[in-house]
Amino acid sequence: MVFSLPYIFGPFSRVLAPYSHFGVRKNATIQSHKIFDKLYCGDVSMLSIAKLSQSAIRADEFYEEEMVGGDFEMGRSDKEIRMDGFDFLYLMEGRGIQPDAETFALLLNQASRFRSVLDAKRIHGRILKLGFEGELSLGNKLINVYRDLGSLADAHQVFGTMRWRDGSSFSHIIAACIAEGRKVSALRYFMSMQDEGLEPDLVTLSQVLKACFGGSVGFSFVRQLHGKIIRLGFHTDLAVGNPLIDLYAKAGDVIKARMVFDELGWRDSTSWVAMISGYAQNGCSEEALFLFSQMQGSALEFFLQMQVCGLKPDPVTVASLLSACASIGDFWKGQELHAYVTKSGIESDYIVEGSLLDFYIKSGDLAAARACFDATKRTNVVLWNLMLVAYGQIGNLSDSLELFSQMQITGIDPNEYTYPSVLRTCTSLGNLDLGEQIHAQTVKSGFQFNVYVSSVLIDMYAKCGRLDIAQKMLDRLPEHDIVSWTSMISGYSQHDRFAEALNLFERMQLQGMRADNIGLSSAISACAGLQALEEGKKVHSQSVVHGYSSDLSIGNALVTFYARCGQIKEAYAAFQSVGDGDAITWNGLISGFAQSGHSEEAVQVFSRMHRAGIEASLYTFCSTISASANLADVKQGKQIHTLMIKGGHESDTEAGNVLVTLYAKCGSIEDAYREFLLIPQKNEVSWNAIITGYAQHGHGREALRLFEWMKEEGVRPNHITFVGVLSACSHVGLVSEGLGFFRSMSHEYNISPRSEHYACVVDILGRAGSFDDAQQFIEEMPIRPDAMVWRTLLSACTVRKNLELGQVAAQHLLELEPQDSATYVLLSNIHAALRKWDARDQIRQMMKDRRIKKEPGQSWIEVNNIVHAFFVGDRLHPLCEKIYEFLEDLTNRTLAIGYVPDHQSLLHDLELQQKDPTAYVHSEKLAISFGVMSSPPGIPLRIIKNLRVCNDCHTFMKYVSKVVSRAIIVRDANRFHHFDNGTCSCGDYW
């Protein structure tokens, strides 16, 4: 039955009449509040009041019998109850009974109960109309109701218009900000509260602590807040203690977190979980497990207290502890936790399932992990993803794919984390074909533009060498993240496309992306590859500004960068800054020095590493052996070879390859060939090393025989192979064969010749004296001839004394490299060979005017494990007098069997008369004399020369090998010469 307001006004007035007639308005209002309470609770309706009009009982009897203990209609709708409250308010006002603050508070309670913002605003309007806006309790009530109803803007408006505020006002508005996620605003209100001299209560402090999560405030503020909590005596309360534990733990201050934990008057499960999780997350896994033992060990007081309170580790606690067990490798404790999980009946909890699976995976027990996985209902995609990651970590592609297929058959849809797990496995195994199939599935599933999936796809294509596809994917992404940029930059760096890596790094920064440690280290690696010192220093500065000074990956990249750029001091400084570092740090220093020409430093660093007890990897051995090869230090190389065998790397293809290069560069081509035969799985690098080795030793036909063998084995030659093949043809004068191999590059193997290949052909033609063909070949080159091509032609002109063409080559060289001394020296030698002394002197004067210094000739020989260096006319050696005496005797012995000195071709007769003849003795003659006089008879002599051996020294060494009956092996700037019994392996063609 619905009553209109006029109809029910009569009954209502009779109910309140006794109070009205006696003028007890206040008493009537009090009785009205009691009726409002009943209406709010849904215990009375206007129908009950209407019935009252038909009976002749007093108002106080009505209240006692009907309002308090009566039997009223139930089951009314929310709308009816809400309307009863407003109708009652209107009837009160109609009878002249003024509602007060408590009346409106009761009505606001009703609006909050029925989730009606409209009702709250209607009541708010009545409050303003009747002048209650200055009532503090109503202001606080309005803020609280608006917050509960989600009308936060209205809550802020009420707070802003309040004339007076107390602690509750601030507490309510701070709670409203937290509900809205406006943590900074909550903290500002808290600051204002302090400015007004109001002390926060426990509720306010707990709300403010919530605002401190997520990095919205500096941690110094948290410490200050903690101090206030202690001062106010709330530090033993869970409401502030639990969030404080969590905040300190997340900030890495587990000591402070434990202090808060210990000061709590009582601990609930949240306290234990927060503390244990904090230990686990901060690497204090043993402490976490110890705390767990306190929590669940029956012998300890903590667990007894928890048992009394009915507390036990929940799934979140167990997950943290399992993570701690995995991090410290405590497999048995993890199994105990597994048993606890089973006993507690929480093994089916999805958090526990994932944590158990993750524990066994990280512990390396894949069988147990699979058993855990099979025991689940397998409806959670996270569990499938974890197993896919596990198979990927061990490179088990077949099981990974089988599981991926089962997942789809079961009806579990892959998500954005599923595809990356499988794609990473494809990447690690280099299976691009399968990766492309998975890529197609991501497109069908609609994940092709997912940033996470796309980043992994970019990484796969980049690492597999398909940089073009990776770049297209990056360009097409509607939204870029730092991972996608970094994957592309790393891909360019890993494939030696350093310029593209740096360009992309700059482009990323221009788009406002801040590089992370991986992006910065990749950019530094690119600078190392380009030996771009200034650019690398800039990136180094960026890494410091961005707070990565102590990052190990960047530190390792800097070590390699400065070493590759030949900055020895800076490289050691970067090495020291890394601290203990790791094997990668040592490898970066060794390989960097080896590649920048500081091979002695590289070998010394390896010795330090060995003495420090750091285990060398295959990469370490290969880098150090390469350094020994550059030094032609065969003894050092053999020692490292022995260490590599002890390390179990003798069967590795990479080890065999570097050993072939070592022995070839040290003049032991036979040992190089032996190591080549021992390589179990020969790749193109193996074949290139042995072919190039034979070519450098002048065994051109053997090099070509190996090239044919390579093709028979099905190994496809690359551009490096053809450098070795063409060099072999050049060293033995195989002109037609060389030209045929050059043409086959593009016709048969689709290899575009590079500058070094064109230089080899020019060398083939020039050494054969076919200068017209060489000049025509250069003119018809599809690429612009660089300094290497012109220098090769000039060198051939010097040997053949072709002044006209030599001047043409020299002119081009001076335009390209005006500061290169070799051009002036070669041109000067042509004039000297033709006895054009004035022209020679003009060139020398030009060098002086341009302040260009000639690289002095220098030779090295090792005797009794000591390397001795000699310069032209050297008199610094402590045995120089004996050396020159022995050289004179040796020269006389060679003259006796037919040696004719040829130094007259480079010096004017007048010059020879004016100076001591010993001033012009070349360094290799001094090295040979010292070696013969200082070493036992029959021991081969190994000499390194930094320049090309001249005609006179070449002839001299042939005769010396005969008179002393020794093999003499000389490595000059171009090739090896094996002198034995009066002949040279080059056949006087070099």
Side-chain angles (χ1 to χ4, degrees):
M1 184 175 181
V2 180
F3 297 91
S4 64
L5 186 60
Y7 181 81
I8 62 175
F9 187 87
F12 181 71
S13 62
R14 287 192 293 274
V15 173
L16 298 179
Y19 300 102
S20 177
H21 293 163
F22 289 100
V24 192
R25 298 280 178 171
K26 181 177 180 181
N27 213 13
T29 304
I30 292 173
Q31 297 301 327
S32 301
H33 294 165
K34 294 179 179 180
I35 297 173
F36 269 120
D37 281 333
K38 293 287 183 176
L39 289 168
Y40 171 66
C41 297
D43 292 339
V44 67
S45 69
M46 292 304 296
L47 182 61
S48 301
I49 299 173
K51 286 182 177 180
L52 197 59
S53 63
Q54 300 174 6
S55 62
I57 63 175
R58 294 169 39 240
D60 54 350
E61 292 175 350
F62 165 78
Y63 178 76
E64 293 295 334
E65 296 179 13
E66 300 291 325
M67 296 293 106
V68 178
D71 183 17
F72 306 122
E73 293 91 345
M74 305 299 292
R76 294 169 297 116
S77 69
D78 290 347
K79 182 177 180 181
E80 289 176 328
I81 297 173
R82 287 164 52 202
M83 289 307 299
D84 285 348
F86 282 105
D87 289 342
F88 196 61
L89 174 64
Y90 295 146
L91 293 176
M92 283 179 61
E93 293 175 342
R95 290 294 294 164
I97 302 173
Q98 185 67 31
D100 59 6
E102 189 174 354
T103 309
F104 288 115
L106 292 169
L107 283 171
L108 286 170
N109 284 339
Q110 178 179 284
S112 178
R113 174 193 174 190
F114 296 112
R115 314 299 302 163
S116 175
V117 177
L118 180 60
D119 286 356
K121 288 187 175 182
R122 288 171 62 189
I123 299 166
H124 190 182
R126 297 292 295 172
I127 290 171
L128 295 176
K129 183 176 180 181
L130 296 177
F132 285 100
E133 66 272 15
E135 188 71 34
L136 180 61
S137 61
L138 278 181
N140 292 342
K141 189 70 175 179
L142 279 167
I143 295 171
N144 202 29
V145 169
Y146 279 134
R147 182 200 70 188
D148 291 341
L149 296 176
S151 185
L152 301 174
D154 291 313
H156 290 293
Q157 183 180 7
V158 171
F159 182 86
T161 57
M162 290 178 68
R163 298 175 185 173
W164 300 279
R165 305 185 187 97
D166 61 2
S168 296
S169 312
F170 281 97
S171 181
H172 291 317
I173 196 62
I174 289 171
C177 290
I178 296 298
E180 195 178 3
R182 294 170 59 179
K183 296 180 180 179
V184 175
S185 297
L187 293 171
R188 286 175 179 166
Y189 279 125
F190 180 70
M191 298 293 189
S192 299
M193 179 181 184
Q194 291 182 303
D195 292 341
E196 294 186 17
L198 297 173
E199 288 288 7
D201 58 8
L202 181 63
V203 176
T204 305
L205 289 168
S206 66
Q207 293 291 338
V208 174
L209 285 171
K210 291 179 182 178
C212 295
F213 284 93
S216 56
V217 68
F219 205 76
S220 59
F221 177 81
V222 177
R223 292 190 176 94
Q224 293 174 12
L225 190 61
H226 186 191
K228 182 178 284 292
I229 290 170
I230 294 173
R231 183 173 60 81
L232 294 175
F234 295 129
H235 58 287
T236 60
D237 197 282
L238 289 174
V240 292
N242 287 347
L244 275 173
I245 294 171
D246 205 13
L247 281 167
Y248 277 120
K250 283 182 168 59
D253 193 347
V254 290
I255 296 176
K256 200 71 174 179
R258 182 58 188 263
M259 186 184 301
V260 175
F261 177 83
D262 291 337
E263 289 177 349
L264 287 177
W266 182 251
R267 306 177 188 95
D268 61 3
S269 59
T270 304
S271 315
W272 292 91
V273 171
M275 193 65 246
I276 292 172
S277 300
Y279 274 134
Q281 291 165 4
N282 286 282
C284 304
S285 302
E286 294 181 0
E287 290 87 342
L289 293 174
F290 175 73
L291 197 63
F292 176 66
S293 70
Q294 289 184 328
M295 183 179 178
Q296 59 98 43
S298 59
L300 297 174
E301 181 181 358
F302 282 130
F303 179 64
L304 294 176
Q305 292 177 354
M306 292 188 68
Q307 281 187 319
V308 171
C309 296
L311 298 175
K312 64 179 182 178
D314 62 1
V316 177
T317 310
V318 172
S320 298
L321 291 167
L322 285 169
S323 176
C325 292
S327 65
I328 65 172
D330 194 336
F331 184 74
W332 299 112
K333 178 62 72 174
Q335 287 195 318
E336 290 178 12
L337 283 167
H338 191 174
Y340 170 81
V341 164
T342 304
K343 184 178 179 180
S344 301
I346 58 173
E347 67 273 12
S348 60
D349 182 272
Y350 75 97
I351 296 177
V352 174
E353 286 180 340
S355 300
L356 278 171
L357 190 57
D358 185 60
F359 162 72
Y360 283 116
I361 290 171
K362 289 180 178 177
S363 299
D365 193 343
L366 199 58
R370 185 58 192 257
C372 281
F373 174 75
D374 292 337
T376 68
K377 296 179 181 179
R378 300 202 285 185
T379 57
N380 187 353
V381 68
V382 175
L383 303 181
W384 292 88
N385 291 343
L386 283 171
M387 281 307 303
L388 288 171
V389 170
Y391 285 129
Q393 288 174 347
I394 63 172
N396 191 336
L397 186 59
S398 59
D399 285 347
S400 179
L401 290 176
E402 182 182 354
L403 191 70
F404 183 63
S405 300
Q406 289 179 7
M407 176 182 183
Q408 297 178 80
I409 293 171
T410 308
I412 304 297
D413 293 327
N415 62 12
E416 65 269 29
Y417 303 106
T418 310
Y419 292 112
S421 301
V422 184
L423 288 168
R424 286 196 184 96
T425 307
C426 297
T427 303
S428 63
L429 298 176
N431 194 328
L432 183 59
D433 292 338
L434 183 58
E436 289 176 332
Q437 296 178 31
I438 304 298
H439 184 186
Q441 288 197 35
T442 65
V443 175
K444 292 179 181 178
S445 303
F447 288 105
Q448 72 271 27
F449 293 122
N450 180 274
V451 175
Y452 184 48
V453 175
S454 297
S455 298
V456 178
L457 281 168
I458 290 170
D459 183 62
M460 179 190 74
Y461 283 115
K463 287 182 177 176
C464 292
R466 294 307 306 272
L467 296 168
D468 53 339
I469 298 178
Q471 185 65 62
K472 287 179 181 177
M473 288 195 64
L474 180 68
D475 294 337
R476 291 175 182 174
L477 275 179
E479 178 184 357
H480 298 89
D481 67 345
I482 191 64
V483 178
S484 55
W485 284 102
T486 300
S487 299
M488 195 68 242
I489 294 168
S490 300
Y492 278 129
S493 292
Q494 290 166 4
H495 288 85
D496 297 342
R497 292 174 62 173
F498 304 119
E500 289 96 326
L502 281 182
N503 289 336
L504 194 63
F505 181 75
E506 292 176 2
R507 179 179 153 196
M508 178 186 75
Q509 292 182 309
L510 289 174
Q511 293 197 12
M513 299 292 291
R514 178 174 173 175
D516 60 3
N517 59 332
I518 299 175
L520 289 166
S521 62
S522 297
I524 293 170
S525 298
C527 293
L530 296 172
Q531 295 186 0
L533 183 59
E534 294 305 318
E535 288 80 357
K537 286 181 176 180
K538 292 178 183 177
V539 182
H540 184 182
S541 299
Q542 288 186 40
S543 68
V544 174
V545 171
H546 292 169
Y548 292 114
S549 300
S550 59
D551 184 84
L552 183 59
S553 63
I554 291 180
N556 289 340
L558 286 170
V559 169
T560 304
F561 163 67
Y562 284 117
R564 284 285 299 273
C565 291
Q567 305 296 303
I568 297 176
K569 182 179 178 181
E570 289 81 358
Y572 278 121
F575 181 81
Q576 294 296 330
S577 68
V578 174
D580 295 336
D582 56 11
I584 297 175
T585 316
W586 290 90
N587 290 342
L589 202 59
I590 293 169
S591 64
F593 283 145
Q595 293 172 13
S596 63
H598 295 83
S599 299
E600 292 183 10
E601 291 285 344
V603 175
Q604 290 175 9
V605 172
F606 175 78
S607 299
R608 284 177 53 193
M609 179 180 179
H610 184 63
R611 289 194 301 269
I614 298 174
E615 184 177 355
S617 65
L618 176 61
Y619 183 79
T620 313
F621 285 121
C622 290
S623 298
T624 311
I625 290 174
S626 295
S628 300
N630 294 335
L631 295 171
D633 190 345
V634 69
K635 290 184 179 179
Q636 181 74 50
K638 286 183 176 180
Q639 291 175 8
I640 300 170
H641 184 182
T642 302
L643 291 174
M644 187 164 62
I645 292 173
K646 291 180 179 179
H649 298 294
E650 69 276 9
S651 60
D652 290 309
T653 299
E654 292 78 6
N657 293 344
V658 76
L659 287 171
V660 170
T661 302
L662 167 71
Y663 290 116
K665 285 189 174 183
C666 291
S668 301
I669 192 64
E670 296 82 7
D671 292 334
Y673 185 67
R674 185 189 69 249
E675 292 298 331
F676 172 77
L677 294 177
L678 293 174
I679 298 174
Q681 297 292 331
K682 301 176 181 64
N683 57 19
E684 68 275 8
V685 178
S686 315
W687 291 98
N688 291 344
I690 194 65
I691 290 171
T692 302
Y694 270 103
Q696 289 177 340
H697 282 265
H699 303 304
R701 296 192 181 277
E702 288 81 355
L704 297 181
R705 178 182 61 80
L706 286 165
F707 178 60
E708 295 300 325
W709 184 12
M710 174 185 182
K711 293 191 292 183
E712 290 173 2
E713 291 293 321
V715 180
R716 185 178 179 83
N718 57 20
H719 67 281
I720 298 176
T721 314
F722 279 102
V723 171
V725 170
L726 294 173
S727 297
C729 295
S730 173
H731 290 319
V732 294
L734 300 176
V735 178
S736 60
E737 291 87 344
L739 294 174
F741 287 126
F742 178 78
R743 286 190 291 267
S744 70
M745 288 180 63
S746 54
H747 295 162
E748 295 182 28
Y749 300 102
N750 196 29
I751 299 174
S752 299
R754 302 181 182 181
S755 179
E756 55 264 34
H757 302 110
Y758 288 103
C760 286
V761 174
V762 171
D763 193 45
I764 292 172
L765 297 173
R767 287 178 184 274
S770 302
F771 288 108
D772 292 339
D773 293 336
Q775 187 173 9
Q776 182 181 355
F777 179 81
I778 293 174
E779 292 172 353
E780 293 176 354
M781 283 175 57
I783 62 175
R784 183 182 179 183
D786 62 3
M788 185 191 304
V789 173
W790 291 115
R791 189 177 297 108
T792 303
L793 180 62
L794 178 58
S795 179
C797 292
T798 303
V799 174
R800 292 286 182 169
K801 301 177 183 178
N802 187 328
L803 178 59
E804 182 180 356
L805 187 57
Q807 288 178 326
V808 174
Q811 184 61 40
H812 285 286
L813 277 170
L814 292 175
E815 293 175 359
L816 293 170
E817 297 180 351
Q819 298 300 312
D820 182 30
S821 63
T823 304
Y824 299 91
V825 173
L826 289 172
L827 188 58
S828 172
N829 289 345
I830 297 178
H831 288 293
L834 296 173
R835 307 186 72 80
K836 295 179 178 293
W837 308 115
D838 292 340
R840 185 206 65 173
D841 293 341
Q842 288 178 3
I843 295 173
R844 291 184 176 181
Q845 186 60 44
M846 187 186 302
M847 291 182 67
K848 291 181 181 179
D849 295 341
R850 297 180 179 180
R851 297 182 179 180
I852 297 172
K853 293 183 178 180
K854 173 191 173 185
E855 180 183 4
Q858 189 174 9
S859 297
W860 297 265
I861 185 171
E862 182 181 346
V863 177
N864 297 327
N865 297 324
I866 299 176
V867 177
H868 299 262
F870 297 92
F871 292 92
V872 60
D874 199 340
R875 289 222 172 241
L876 298 176
H877 197 280
L879 299 176
C880 67
E881 295 299 332
K882 291 184 179 180
I883 293 172
Y884 278 104
E885 289 177 7
F886 191 85
L887 176 60
E888 185 177 359
D889 178 68
L890 198 58
T891 303
N892 290 333
R893 292 167 65 185
T894 58
L895 288 171
I897 63 172
Y899 166 60
V900 178
D902 190 30
H903 60 268
Q904 307 283 344
S905 62
L906 299 181
L907 296 174
H908 196 281
D909 293 337
L910 183 60
E911 292 174 326
L912 291 174
Q913 295 173 8
Q914 290 176 344
K915 293 188 177 182
D916 180 5
T918 61
Y920 299 102
V921 176
H922 283 188
S923 59
E924 56 264 49
K925 285 187 177 182
L926 296 174
I928 289 172
S929 299
F930 176 75
V932 174
M933 65 178 273
S934 304
S935 60
I939 298 296
L941 302 179
R942 300 179 186 274
I943 299 168
I944 302 174
K945 175 73 183 290
N946 65 330
L947 302 176
R948 181 182 181 273
V949 175
C950 71
N951 293 339
D952 177 62
C953 291
H954 187 270
T955 304
F956 177 75
M957 285 185 280
K958 286 197 298 181
Y959 282 96
V960 170
S961 69
K962 188 171 185 179
V963 298
V964 300
S965 299
R966 290 202 195 195
I968 302 173
I969 303 167
V970 179
R971 189 180 96 178
D972 70 3
N974 296 328
R975 57 174 296 164
F976 279 91
H977 296 269
H978 292 257
F979 300 96
D980 190 18
N981 196 28
T983 62
C984 180
S985 60
C986 71
D988 297 336
Y989 189 90
W990 86 99

